Amino acid sequence: MQALYAQLLVGLINGSFYALLSLGLAVIFGMLNIINFAHGALYMMGAFCAYFLLTYGGIGYWWALIIAPIAVGIFGIILERTMLQWLSGLDHVYGLLLTFGIALIVQGIFQNYFGSSGLPYSIPDELRGGVNLGFMFLPIYRGWVVIFSLVVCLATWYLIERTRLGANLRAATENPTLVRAFGINVPRMITLTYGLGVGLAALAGVLSAPINQVRPLMGADLIIVVFAVVVIGGMGSIMGSIITGFTLGVVEGLTKYFYPEASNTVVFVLMVLVLLVKPTGLTGRTA
Amino acid sequence: MTVVTDDTLPMTPRAMRDEMIVFGVMAVLLALVPLSGIYPFFVMQALCFALLACAFNLLVGYGGLLSFGHAMFLGTAGYVSAHALKVWGLPPELGILVGTAAAAALGVVTGYVSIRRQGIYFSMITLALSQLLYFIYLQVPFTHGEDGIQGIPQGHMFGFLDLSKSTVLYYVVLGGFLGGFLLIYRSINSPFGEVLKSIRENEQRAISLGYKTEQYKLLAYILSGTLAGFAGSLKVFVAQNASLTDVHWSMSGEIVLMTLVGGLGTVFGPVVGAFVIIAMQQYLAGFGQWVTVIQGVIFVTCVLTFRRGIVGEIAHYFRRSL
């Protein structure tokens, strides 16, 4: 049973990353109509940012949790201003190709300087150790990742679904021209949305740095799983992305316990099943 | 579905004539390669990728469906052909047939699933499906995991063509390429191709005209996958191995890149793109990971400034269809 709970926890942690990343993808897709293939590379940049801060600046985890998303978010904003904005009005495909190119560039540069092996990033002192819950031993850091991610996801949901800013954002997704007529600066909103989505990816990167090592390709394979998560959940609803992300993480964890051979493939197999039964995805609006 | 290519000239007799002339020139030039002293291995490899890119282009350029998982056909056909040649000891022609058939079967199955969504979702689904296959091939015993299948015998095609001679192999690969190219060309210019283009331009309208668009898209997908598989089977004879690289998502990305560089939705673009990218990889092989960076830069540059691709720009300049 210990092993089962341990895998469940791993599943919840992976689920947190799926949720944070698919949330960002959904928010970006809503505003920019672009599937951000660079999301995995930006997630990796978040982790590297934390690593650089610690190694070269002596700045620890807690500051990294704030600085890395902002730094990567600014990088994202520069990308949006210099490149992505020129794609509005073109086929979706071009956004995918452009961001794929960006991902190749970023990952290639990091691979050149850091190889493919992982760099260690230690757990901050405050979150070391664990507690015995009676039925299992819970490493504090892992519990922290799950809870913190959940809080961030819910905060994003609140921001988009319940605040005035979010209402403007959703309105601009539906009809940007009309929203501009009301005097709202839609292009700036689009830029900030991209920054926000990218910042969420970087935050996930910082969270994962102490668990998975910091590697140039850490986001490359992850992003493909997140795509499958997005196909399963559909990008229509924020809450849908969060729930699907966590659920699939748990399912993957359970598979690791019951049938480890399929743990890499279970999300893709589920994607196929969902497509056969309900092609629009679980929270389905058609794109 | 919005438009991938922005100039769609109607198929006039002049366009047809232009294309046949270019095809003739291309065929003659390629046939002369063994006499020219150019390293045939390079050209053979480029020809395999050119056919692969043409097959991919059939789907994206004319059907408007961007598959980000075409490496799965290349890899599957490669593995099956390699296994058939090495373990079952089949002759080359049957090895190619079995590999291509495997890709066709894969096309039926994955097409049935992925055609259910359009646009950007289609790309993500095909990418995820190819990743699924990647993990399967990583684990099943017949692919030999990280090592791949190596030392594949080339054998005698039809009993008398000795494929271990590079000139003979070259003409067999060239024949395969030209055959596949003509088949794609014929499909594009058939009534089937016209319906496919109309689906790309406006699917709702095509449905309202009574076309079962799902069936057309599925057929285009299967055809594209089968031909991509054929290219994968041919490549086995050239490279004499089948490995995980051929199923990896980065390979799917390269296929997209070749087609984009040459020109999406142009007849000859993928061929030019494949030669450009393969040549680049040859010359830059010593630069390690910088090749990835350069590929990324090409992607970004093409999308931002050069969306028609090399052949597309030339065709646009001369107002011809190529």
Side-chain angles (χ1 to χ4, degrees):
Chain A
M1 279 317 262
Q2 280 284 344
L4 175 62
Y5 289 128
Q7 289 304 346
L8 264 180
L9 183 62
V10 171
L12 272 176
I13 287 174
N14 283 335
S16 324
F17 300 146
Y18 297 160
L20 282 170
L21 290 173
S22 61
L23 185 62
L25 280 183
V27 173
I28 290 172
F29 184 74
M31 280 302 278
L32 285 85
N33 266 323
I34 278 175
I35 281 292
N36 189 27
F37 216 128
H39 225 61
L42 295 161
Y43 158 85
M44 176 272 286
M45 281 179 81
F48 263 97
C49 205
Y51 174 81
F52 291 147
L53 285 172
L54 187 66
T55 316
Y56 302 113
I59 298 166
Y61 178 81
W62 300 104
W63 282 108
L65 220 45
I66 300 167
I67 297 173
I70 293 176
V72 178
I74 290 172
F75 178 71
I77 284 174
I78 295 170
L79 288 182
E80 199 278 332
R81 282 286 92 192
T82 53
M83 300 183 202
L84 294 175
Q85 66 154 329
W86 303 110
L87 297 183
S88 61
L90 289 174
D91 194 299
H92 292 354
V93 158
Y94 289 114
L96 186 78
L97 297 180
L98 180 69
T99 49
F100 180 71
I102 294 172
L104 287 183
I105 296 173
V106 172
Q107 282 163 358
I109 291 176
F110 275 85
Q111 261 188 301
N112 257 306
Y113 290 109
F114 300 97
S116 291
S117 55
L119 303 165
Y121 185 90
S122 57
I123 296 175
D125 293 334
E126 297 85 347
L127 299 174
R128 275 173 203 277
V131 281
N132 198 337
L133 297 179
F135 57 94
M136 72 174 288
F137 180 78
L138 174 74
I140 292 180
Y141 186 76
R142 300 192 168 223
W144 151 257
V145 169
V146 174
I147 291 167
F148 183 67
S149 311
L150 198 57
V151 170
V152 171
C153 285
L154 293 177
T156 313
W157 171 81
Y158 185 84
L159 176 74
I160 291 172
E161 298 286 340
R162 290 287 182 272
T163 62
R164 188 168 174 79
L165 180 70
N168 289 344
L169 202 93
R170 279 177 289 132
T173 309
E174 293 291 327
N175 191 337
T177 324
L178 194 63
V179 173
R180 282 182 95 156
F182 287 130
I184 293 166
N185 190 340
V186 173
R188 193 173 66 198
M189 211 144 88
I190 290 178
T191 309
L192 290 177
T193 306
Y194 191 73
L196 171 75
V198 163
L200 285 174
L203 184 71
V206 180
L207 287 174
S208 93
I211 300 176
N212 312 310
Q213 291 185 315
V214 181
R215 287 180 300 120
L217 291 180
M218 64 193 288
D221 289 331
L222 183 65
I223 191 64
I224 304 180
V225 182
V226 174
F227 280 175
V229 171
V230 163
V231 172
I232 293 172
M235 285 187 288
S237 122
I238 300 290
M239 198 50 106
S241 305
I242 302 172
I243 295 172
T244 323
F246 276 100
T247 312
L248 286 172
V250 169
V251 170
E252 205 180 48
L254 289 176
T255 317
K256 243 176 225 151
Y257 179 76
F258 288 108
Y259 188 60
E261 289 82 359
S263 60
N264 281 331
T265 47
V266 64
V267 174
F268 302 120
V269 173
L270 280 175
M271 180 194 78
V272 171
L273 292 178
V274 168
L275 282 171
L276 292 176
V277 178
K278 193 167 183 297
T280 48
L282 295 178
T283 59
R285 279 194 309 187
T286 44
Chain B
M1 190 76 216
T2 36
V3 194
V4 175
T5 47
D6 50 358
D7 24 21
T8 39
L9 300 172
M11 197 60 197
T12 59
R14 194 185 82 161
M16 196 81 133
R17 199 197 62 212
D18 286 350
E19 286 167 3
M20 287 325 286
I21 291 171
V22 176
F23 177 78
V25 172
M26 178 178 79
V28 170
L29 283 179
L30 287 171
L32 294 175
V33 164
L35 309 174
S36 69
I38 300 174
Y39 188 39
F41 178 78
F42 159 74
V43 184
M44 283 192 279
Q45 212 192 2
L47 282 175
C48 294
F49 279 103
L51 180 55
L52 181 61
C54 286
F56 167 78
N57 186 42
L58 170 68
L59 195 58
V60 64
Y62 299 93
L65 294 166
L66 179 94
S67 158
F68 225 103
H70 248 48
M72 64 182 158
F73 298 111
L74 179 77
T76 300
Y79 272 133
V80 173
S81 285
H83 188 75
L85 293 166
K86 193 177 176 186
V87 181
W88 297 342
L90 291 185
E93 61 277 13
L94 286 182
I96 293 175
L97 191 68
V98 175
T100 311
L106 182 68
V108 173
V109 176
T110 56
Y112 185 70
V113 174
S114 53
I115 290 296
R116 291 167 173 258
R117 297 300 297 272
Q118 293 149 19
I120 210 73
Y121 280 97
F122 176 81
S123 306
M124 291 197 281
I125 293 166
T126 45
L127 177 61
L129 288 172
S130 76
Q131 188 77 347
L132 172 63
L133 271 154
Y134 176 84
F135 282 120
I136 292 176
Y137 288 139
L138 187 64
Q139 286 172 354
V140 293
F142 93 96
T143 60
H144 300 281
E146 305 272 354
D147 297 334
I149 306 177
Q150 291 169 353
I152 296 153
Q154 288 165 310
H156 289 68
M157 190 174 238
F158 305 119
F160 67 95
L161 292 167
D162 183 2
L163 297 184
S164 60
K165 289 190 177 133
S166 68
T167 313
V168 177
L169 180 61
Y170 178 82
Y171 283 109
V172 168
V173 171
L174 179 60
F177 164 75
L178 292 176
F181 185 92
L182 282 177
L183 181 61
I184 292 168
Y185 185 72
R186 185 72 198 93
S187 314
I188 294 167
N189 293 309
S190 67
F192 167 73
E194 294 300 326
V195 176
L196 210 55
K197 284 176 221 166
S198 79
I199 294 172
R200 178 191 71 191
E201 299 298 328
N202 192 338
E203 179 160 2
Q204 299 308 320
R205 185 114 183 236
I207 293 173
S208 78
L209 288 171
Y211 290 109
K212 291 196 165 58
T213 57
E214 298 268 309
Q215 287 177 7
Y216 280 90
K217 287 195 287 184
L218 183 59
L219 193 57
Y221 183 89
I222 295 169
L223 186 60
S224 170
T226 309
L227 283 162
F230 180 52
S233 289
L234 285 177
K235 189 172 155 298
V236 164
F237 293 92
V238 180
Q240 281 184 277
N241 70 35
S243 69
L244 281 172
T245 340
D246 291 348
V247 219
H248 197 244
W249 56 262
S250 53
M251 180 60 78
S252 298
E254 274 174 33
I255 302 169
V256 180
L257 182 62
M258 287 170 189
T259 314
L260 184 67
V261 167
L264 286 173
T266 60
V267 178
F268 297 97
V271 182
V272 174
F275 273 84
V276 169
I277 297 297
I278 295 290
M280 191 196 84
Q281 285 173 349
Q282 291 270 327
Y283 290 114
L284 299 179
F287 287 84
Q289 286 305 324
W290 289 114
V291 177
T292 320
V293 179
I294 294 167
Q295 284 185 345
V297 172
I298 299 177
F299 256 112
V300 170
T301 321
C302 278
V303 172
L304 288 179
T305 60
F306 195 61
R307 274 186 290 277
R308 290 195 190 96
I310 298 171
V311 172
E313 290 291 345
I314 295 172
H316 182 73
Y317 183 78
F318 291 107
R319 305 194 131 273
R320 295 285 171 100
S321 165
L322 287 174

